[in-house]
Amino acid sequence: MQKFSFLKLFCSALLCVLCSLTPAAFANSGGGSASASAGGAATAALEPFTVNLSSFDRYLQVSVTLQVAGPEVADKIKAVMPMVRHNMIMLLSGKESSQIQSADGKHDLIEEIKERVNKVLETKEKNGVTDVFFVNFVIQ
């Protein structure tokens, strides 16, 4: 009888944990996902990129999350995702590994990504992509 009570308690606890997960925890479709972070800022996570760098002897694997001015911007990014990905691939594949290995190089790349994506969105930084976060950044 104690085994049954323990099993019932365990299943109830597991069900509570699963129910507490928000649908956003399961959202990751096509080109990326959009959500609001804990700080309240909306974000758009892009699918990872793997590109040959311009010297062709190295490649870059990078995952990027864009901080955006609002949820409507995240939705717009999803709508134009093929153009966003194309511009990102063109930008990243034109870089030498030496250009993006340093902290300054990564900062410059962040500024270029913001500029390129905001150009696709036809908006200014304050109304579009406000920051870029590298979730993964590997040069091999």
Side-chain angles (χ1 to χ4, degrees):
M1 190 56 109
Q2 280 185 330
K3 281 186 178 182
F4 180 76
S5 296
F6 175 77
L7 184 58
K8 187 175 178 183
L9 178 65
F10 177 78
C11 288
S12 296
L14 182 61
L15 182 60
C16 287
V17 169
L18 290 175
C19 289
S20 70
L21 294 176
T22 63
F26 297 104
N28 192 4
S29 61
S33 64
S35 66
S37 68
T43 59
L46 305 182
E47 292 291 322
F49 293 89
T50 303
V51 297
N52 288 320
L53 295 174
S54 64
S55 61
F56 290 108
D57 63 337
R58 294 198 179 271
Y59 69 90
L60 171 67
Q61 182 181 40
V62 64
S63 296
V64 175
T65 297
L66 305 173
Q67 182 175 322
V68 294
E72 63 283 348
V73 178
D75 291 339
K76 189 172 181 181
I77 288 172
K78 288 173 85 172
V80 296
M81 188 59 72
M83 289 184 287
V84 170
R85 288 192 61 83
H86 170 76
N87 276 275
M88 289 284 295
I89 289 169
M90 297 303 290
L91 173 64
L92 297 171
S93 64
K95 297 292 181 184
E96 292 283 342
S97 61
S98 60
Q99 291 177 292
I100 55 177
Q101 284 179 333
S102 69
D104 286 340
K106 288 178 181 73
H107 180 72
D108 292 344
L109 183 58
I110 286 170
E111 294 303 315
E112 289 179 83
I113 291 170
K114 285 194 294 189
E115 183 180 308
R116 291 267 183 121
V117 177
N118 284 329
K119 187 174 180 180
V120 169
L121 298 174
E122 298 174 342
T123 188
K124 300 289 183 198
E125 181 177 331
K126 67 179 181 171
N127 298 323
V129 176
T130 58
D131 208 349
V132 176
F133 305 107
F134 294 125
V135 180
N136 184 36
F137 197 98
V138 178
I139 298 173
Q140 284 192 328

